[in-house]
């Protein structure tokens, strides 16, 4: 939709081919550097520092030039988007609160912005995730500029003539159509999270970790396949957006096809976490998907967080950020998804379904979760002594997150990964042109978002909040402007 808006606004004849019956959903958490709202809020973000941190997350299996392009252009791109949305009653908030600037040893930058929809502004409440006001408004504007959207029309392959991509073949219920593209074709088809066979082949750790599958089932990798057929190549590194917010019944184990999982929104809080032997296995204050990676070495692909009656006070002391923030942010505006009353309701539902277990003793809780009672009791006792000493000599958890568990009732749940999307795709250069086996741009072919690679590897850096949506938006506009010689 962002690409269509940029192209149509530039007076290019624009056709969007979409195999679904409607446009998708928009994540209003947009990670950018240097947007107007950030500057007005006094945020100074070093684009090179953020670029280097993204490279560190990726173990340098990424293209620093591509990441730097996002860091340099994302703020301007979001300002352009909001220039279209603000006359329609939308506004933008910069989340400036990053605590002390660190989550454990990982730096956190105030790159998170959040679009405030007219319904949010009118109600004073966080947005309902089923609403899609922002994307619909942008799509309507693209159509006003002349863009055409064809739904229920799927990409089949690119057309390559004399080494140049000159269009695409698509298929609707009426049959195949040929689309001629004088300027170029942009692949913006998402990843392959709906293709479980491909996940099993390329990312077996991910395959065995998922408790809750929230990816788009229609995203099965056709855009990546089409790009490879046209001469491109896929990123050899893999990455997947996993959040530690899936949960299971007390006898459940992780793995695709996803079992009867549900959403446990408190999962990203740094509670005591134990494996199925009732023992700690990692520093619980690590970035959100790191425990998922660590538990993949153990049986079942899951762990159990343990908390007590003081959980609301603990969450305030943990001071987590972004979408894991539950205690109200001091930043003006509605910059988070859920607050304590909503979480209480969600937890109550999980207790009714038998997912969250409650007990008056740690041993009783262990039995309800299918853990060895003696082992869990010993782990909690050891954990409480470390908390009282104020130093985690076992795993190095920061003292502020090392909170004793002493006040019954005690709670726990079987927890694992919540899956959103794959993040590895076609290799592109810093202009978002798809590159071939000789690192040369394929004339006429661009890619943006999760169909492309070179930006993430190994994981998704959740602490750089909204960077996935921010890079997708920035790449889409950047690709179109290059395609049009602008």
């Amino acid at each position: 939709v962002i690409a269509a808006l940029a192209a149509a606004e530039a007076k290019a004849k624009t056709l969007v081919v979409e195999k679904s019956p409607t446009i998708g959903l928009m994540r209003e958490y947009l990670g950018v550097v240097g947007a107007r709202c950030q500057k007005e809020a006094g945020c100074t973000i070093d684009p090179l520092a953020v670029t280097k941190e993204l490279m560190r997350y990726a173990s340098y299996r990424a293209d620093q030039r591509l990441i730097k392009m996002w860091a340099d252009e994302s703020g301007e791109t979001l300002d352009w988007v909001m220039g279209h949305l603000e006359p329609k009653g939308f506004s933008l908030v910069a989340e400036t609160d990053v605590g002390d600037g660190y989550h454990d040893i990982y730096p956190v930058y105030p790159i998170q912005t959040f679009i405030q929809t007219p319904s949010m502004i009118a109600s004073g409440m966080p947005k309902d995730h089923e609403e899609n006001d922002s994307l619909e408004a942008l799509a309507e504007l693209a159509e006003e500029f002349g863009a055409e959207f064809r739904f229920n029309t799927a990409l089949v392959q690119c057309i390559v003539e004399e080494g140049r991509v000159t269009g695409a073949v698509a298929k609707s219920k009426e049959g195949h159509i040929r689309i001629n593209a004088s300027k170029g074709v942009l692949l913006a088809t998402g990843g392959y999270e709906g293709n479980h066979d491909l996940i099993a082949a390329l990312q077996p750790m991910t395959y065995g970790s998922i408790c809750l599958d929230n990816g788009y089932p229609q995203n099965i990798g056709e855009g990546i396949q089409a790009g490879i057929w046209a001469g491109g190549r896929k990123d050899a590194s893999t990455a997947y957006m996993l959040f530690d917010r899936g949960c299971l019944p007390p006898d459940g184990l992780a793995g695709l096809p996803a079992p009867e999982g549900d959403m446990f929104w408190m999962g990203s809080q740094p509670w005591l976490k134990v494996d199925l032997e009732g023992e700690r296995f990692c520093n619980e204050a690590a970035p959100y998907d790191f425990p998922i990676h660590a538990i993949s070495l153990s049986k079942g692909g899951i762990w159990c967080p343990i908390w007590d009656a003081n959980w609301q006070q603990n969450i305030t002391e943990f001071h987590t950020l972004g979408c894991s923030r539950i205690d109200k942010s001091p930043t003006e505006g509605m910059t988070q998804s859920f607050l304590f009353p909503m979480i209480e309701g969600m937890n109550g539902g999980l207790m009714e379904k038998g997912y969250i277990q409650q007990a008056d003793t740690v041993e009783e809780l262990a039995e309800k979760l299918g853990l060895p009672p003696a082992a869990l009791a010993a782990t909690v006792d050891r954990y409480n002594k470390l908390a009282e000493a104020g130093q985690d000599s076992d795993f190095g958890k920061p003292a502020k997150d090392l909170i004793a568990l002493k006040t019954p009732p005690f709670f726990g749940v079987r927890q694992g990964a919540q899956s959103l999307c794959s993040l590895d795709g076609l290799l592109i250069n810093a202009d978002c042109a798809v590159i071939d086996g000789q690192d040369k741009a394929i004339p006429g072919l661009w890619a943006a978002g999760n169909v492309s690679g070179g930006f993430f590897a190994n994981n998704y850096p959740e602490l750089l909040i909204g960077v996935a949506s921010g890079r997708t938006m920035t790449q889409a506009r950047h690709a179109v402007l290059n395609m049009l010689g602008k």
Side-chain angles (χ1 to χ4, degrees), residues 12-91:
K13 188 174 182 181
T14 305
L15 175 65
V16 178
V17 173
E18 168 58 55
K19 78 173 186 179
S20 300
T22 63
I23 56 176
L25 291 172
M26 180 171 180
R27 297 282 180 180
E28 268 92 359
Y29 280 14
L30 295 162
V32 303
V33 176
R36 186 179 72 247
C37 67
Q38 293 171 330
K39 295 173 182 175
E40 291 172 350
C43 283
T44 302
I45 308 167
D46 181 352
L48 271 176
V50 181
T51 298
K52 290 192 294 183
E53 184 64 8
L54 280 165
M55 290 296 291
R56 179 169 79 129
Y57 270 105
S59 303
Y60 269 69
R61 289 176 175 156
D63 187 337
Q64 188 162 348
R65 296 162 295 186
L66 182 62
I67 295 175
K68 180 72 161 41
M69 184 275 286
W70 160 80
D72 288 342
E73 296 185 20
S74 55
E76 172 198 338
T77 302
L78 184 53
D79 288 344
W80 168 78
V81 169
M82 293 309 301
H84 291 301
L85 288 177
E86 284 167 352
K88 297 179 178 292
F90 296 79
S91 64

Side-chain angles (χ1 to χ4, degrees), residues 113-353:
T113 64
F114 195 64
I115 295 176
Q116 316 283 286
T117 68
S119 62
M120 287 174 60
I121 295 168
S123 67
M125 292 293 290
K127 166 182 192 300
D128 184 337
H129 283 276
E130 298 304 315
E131 294 177 11
N132 205 23
D133 302 353
S134 307
L135 200 62
E136 290 172 357
L138 293 171
E140 288 171 5
L141 189 58
E143 289 182 306
E144 290 174 14
F145 280 126
E148 178 186 354
F149 288 77
R150 289 197 189 182
F151 296 103
N152 298 305
T153 305
L155 171 68
V156 176
Q157 70 178 54
C158 297
I159 297 170
V160 182
E161 297 174 316
E162 298 180 355
R164 179 181 180 85
V165 173
T166 59
V169 175
K171 184 179 181 181
S172 67
K173 63 182 180 180
E174 286 80 25
H176 288 82
I177 59 171
R178 174 181 174 131
I179 304 160
N180 298 315
S182 62
K183 296 295 184 182
V185 171
L186 172 67
L187 297 170
T189 56
Y192 54 89
E193 60 269 16
N195 189 332
H196 291 177
D197 289 340
L198 205 52
I199 298 171
L202 296 177
Q203 304 201 44
M205 186 280 289
T206 295
Y207 188 89
S209 300
I210 295 173
C211 294
L212 179 64
D213 190 359
N214 284 152
Y216 277 131
Q218 69 268 32
N219 287 358
I220 59 175
E222 299 114 318
I224 300 172
Q225 293 170 327
I228 292 172
W229 186 88
R233 57 195 174 98
K234 186 191 170 296
D235 193 345
S237 298
T238 59
Y240 212 95
M241 188 182 291
L242 298 173
F243 281 84
D244 49 354
R245 296 181 194 154
C247 70
L248 294 171
D251 58 350
L253 297 176
L256 285 172
E260 190 182 352
D262 210 325
M263 174 76 74
F264 174 56
W265 199 266
M266 293 201 311
S268 297
Q269 302 299 320
W271 315 110
L272 166 67
K273 294 178 170 68
V274 300
D275 61 19
L276 294 185
E277 300 300 324
E279 299 176 353
R280 288 182 77 193
F281 61 94
C282 73
N283 166 19
E284 298 93 346
Y288 306 144
D289 60 345
F290 283 17
I292 301 169
H293 298 175
I295 203 65
S296 68
L297 304 178
S298 304
K299 69 178 183 180
I302 59 170
W303 66 91
C304 295
I306 309 296
W307 66 99
D308 70 7
N310 297 321
W311 63 274
Q312 292 198 28
Q313 178 185 337
N314 297 163
I315 285 175
T316 300
E317 294 171 10
F318 290 151
H319 196 111
T320 61
L321 305 171
C323 56
S324 79
R325 188 195 296 268
I326 297 170
D327 194 19
K328 186 167 175 55
S329 169
T331 300
E332 185 176 350
M334 292 158 280
T335 60
Q336 60 213 105
S337 298
F338 297 108
L339 300 171
F340 279 125
M342 300 179 191
I343 296 300
E344 287 184 286
M346 294 171 74
N347 288 354
L350 291 173
M351 292 184 72
E352 288 179 10
K353 290 179 65 175

